Amino acid sequence: MTIEAILKADIQKAVQKHFQLDNQDIILQPTKKEFEGFYTFVTFSLTKAARKAPAEIGQLIGEELVASSSVVAGFNVVQGFLNISLKDSTWLELFGKIATDEAFGTLPSNGKSVMVEFSSPNTNKPLHLGHLRNNFLGDSLAKVLKASGYEVIKTCLVNDRGIHICKSMLAYRELGNGETPETSGIKGDHLAGKYYVLFDVEYKKQIKALVAEGLSEEEAAKKAPWILEAQKLLLLWENNDPETVALWQKMNNWVYAGFAETYRKIGVSFDKTYYESNTYLLGKDIIEEGLQRGVFFKKADNSVWIDLTEEGLDEKLVLRGDGTSVYITQDLGTTELKNNDFGNDRYLWVVGNEQDYHFKVLFAILKRLGRTYADDCHHISYGMVDLPSGKMKSREGTVVDADDLVAQMIQTASDRTQDLGKIDDFNSEEAKQLYSQLALGALKYFLLKVDPKKRMLFNPEESIDFQGHTGPFIQYTYARIRSIMRKAEQAGVAAEIPGESYVMHQAERELVFALSQYPVKVLAAANEFAPSLISQYAFDLAKVYNQFYAEVSIFSDPDPEAVKLRVALSGAVAETIRKSLGLLGIDVPERM
């Protein structure tokens, strides 16, 4: 039974004894820093039934807890807030359980499975900063859900077909002169992206020329030779034209190799990859089924629609008049395919908030179709990432490329670390590994610490600061503790928990409390689909430890029991930082 559970039961007994109220919803919250105590019970909800003032209710319950609870040492009442302090023996017992539980923070299996789909790259360009937020969010969410008891399947749907792919194919065919990643020295996904940008340059020239001839800009955009040729390429691909398919395969293979290298570099992997080229025709059978059941209807031009006005949406096209699919058709089919493949209890899509409406429509249609899994589908919507210089645009080549950004971050980590002069004894391989850990730690932490729903501004310089709310600050705290643990080992100091008579320092109590919150935060992050809660927890734990480090002496305290406890506390904090950062996909350096 946890401390929280014991406290709730004891408060319930006190409420029943003094006010004859049974089955009250007892909610505890952490006490605010400016008040003494660790747990707070708010009494306002009892005032009407108890017919007493909130402060009086708090006083009566507090006195009862001190008299009868096995865990409560004292209390104070601030208006309707009952702030509760615990006995040192309770803290020591709690820490003993934390320190000896290797699986601390990993919750038992809940018997359920969840699929997390993320990344969803296009094969006409490399991964960029926006993709990094998506990948880090999806990967971290998968780790958090696994730690909270789910079996997790990580999937990726690659957008490898369509007009945008044909644009880069056309530009390469016309301008490429047989260039390859090997002959150019350009990574495959970057090479495809180069020609996507070149298409846009030429396309704009053609539009400008047609406008000069008297066409409106809208007409010119439709009649420009290259857009017409790209549309022809798409039809040729859909009709399995050998030459077109061969070019498509060649360029896509370059991109896949490039993606694989980037994924390896950033530490992201998938259990299953789906390809739009294999799924874009799926869903037509579902549309036919829906027509027969009256879920969809046909218009005069033979196109198929659904009326979702009852759901607060509008009419939505699900099949064109010529029988070709639209995105929603494909997504209906792909979702059915994923459910047939895995039969998960929940399905999550990590996709930017520009697709909020699309997913509302998708889920509404699945419900109309009576799909049993419809209520278990969730869109993990996240805000876009901006830079100090403004928005990014792929067509114009103004995106911040993921590979370039990682390389820049590694260089910045190298410069900052060398300026501090703390790794003079590292060999070149050790230094290289440290720079990579710091760079990715800074990048991942900065992109994950913000609530996913919020649009954010990414500042590379700010992200890698060794002070402040950053990944390197937490990594540095871990490395500092590992140095303490090595010193303890060399001095022969064992990590041990003292007996019940030991009087704890307030900094020790605060550290045990901070540690005890880890499983709570894991569960909350899983329930709210918010790795940002783990980011904040890791930062808060590092801050509490640094305060502890400033307030007490670890090795020179005259009480040997205090020394052993503080070494044990340090070790537990290091392990919990390692685990919490691990849920964010961040590695920790043993020394810095």
Side-chain angles (χ1 to χ4, degrees), residues 507 510 542-552:
E510 288 176 359
K543 279 200 305 180
V544 172
Y545 183 82
N546 282 300
Q547 186 66 34
F548 160 85
Y549 186 79
E551 288 186 14
V552 304

Side-chain angles (χ1 to χ4, degrees), residues 144-145 148 150 346 522-530:
V144 168
L145 288 165
S148 73
Y150 282 93
R346 303 182 96 171
V522 170
L523 190 57
N527 290 339
E528 297 177 34
F529 306 134

Side-chain angles (χ1 to χ4, degrees), residues 466-491:
F466 285 80
Q467 300 298 322
H469 194 180
T470 67
F473 166 74
I474 304 168
Q475 288 172 309
Y476 181 73
T477 301
Y478 175 85
R480 166 187 269 180
I481 299 173
R482 292 301 301 148
S483 174
I484 290 167
M485 299 308 290
R486 287 190 293 272
K487 182 179 177 181
E489 190 175 344
Q490 290 164 5

Side-chain angles (χ1 to χ4, degrees), residues 518-572:
Y518 179 52
V520 177
K521 297 300 181 183
V522 170
L523 190 57
N527 290 339
E528 297 177 34
F529 306 134
S532 55
L533 296 178
I534 300 297
S535 305
Q536 186 64 49
Y537 172 78
F539 176 63
D540 289 342
L541 179 60
K543 279 200 305 180
V544 172
Y545 183 82
N546 282 300
Q547 186 66 34
F548 160 85
Y549 186 79
E551 288 186 14
V552 304
S553 168
I554 293 180
F555 291 108
S556 58
D557 193 288
D559 183 356
E561 285 199 317
V563 175
K564 292 175 183 178
L565 173 62
R566 290 165 190 174
V567 169
L569 282 167
S570 297

Side-chain angles (χ1 to χ4, degrees), residues 569-589:
L569 282 167
S570 297
V573 170
E575 179 63 9
T576 307
I577 287 176
R578 184 189 67 79
K579 286 180 177 180
S580 55
L581 288 184
L583 294 183
L584 306 177
I586 296 173
D587 290 332
V588 284

Side-chain angles (χ1 to χ4, degrees), residues 506-522:
Q506 180 65 7
E508 295 167 343
R509 299 184 190 106
E510 288 176 359
L511 211 46
V512 177
F513 177 74
L515 286 167
S516 74
Q517 295 305 294
Y518 179 52
V520 177
K521 297 300 181 183
V522 170

Side-chain angles (χ1 to χ4, degrees), residues 206-220 223:
Q206 293 175 2
I207 292 172
K208 191 175 181 181
L210 290 173
V211 169
E213 292 174 14
L215 270 66
S216 70
E217 192 155 334
E218 188 178 347
E219 286 178 303
K223 294 182 178 179

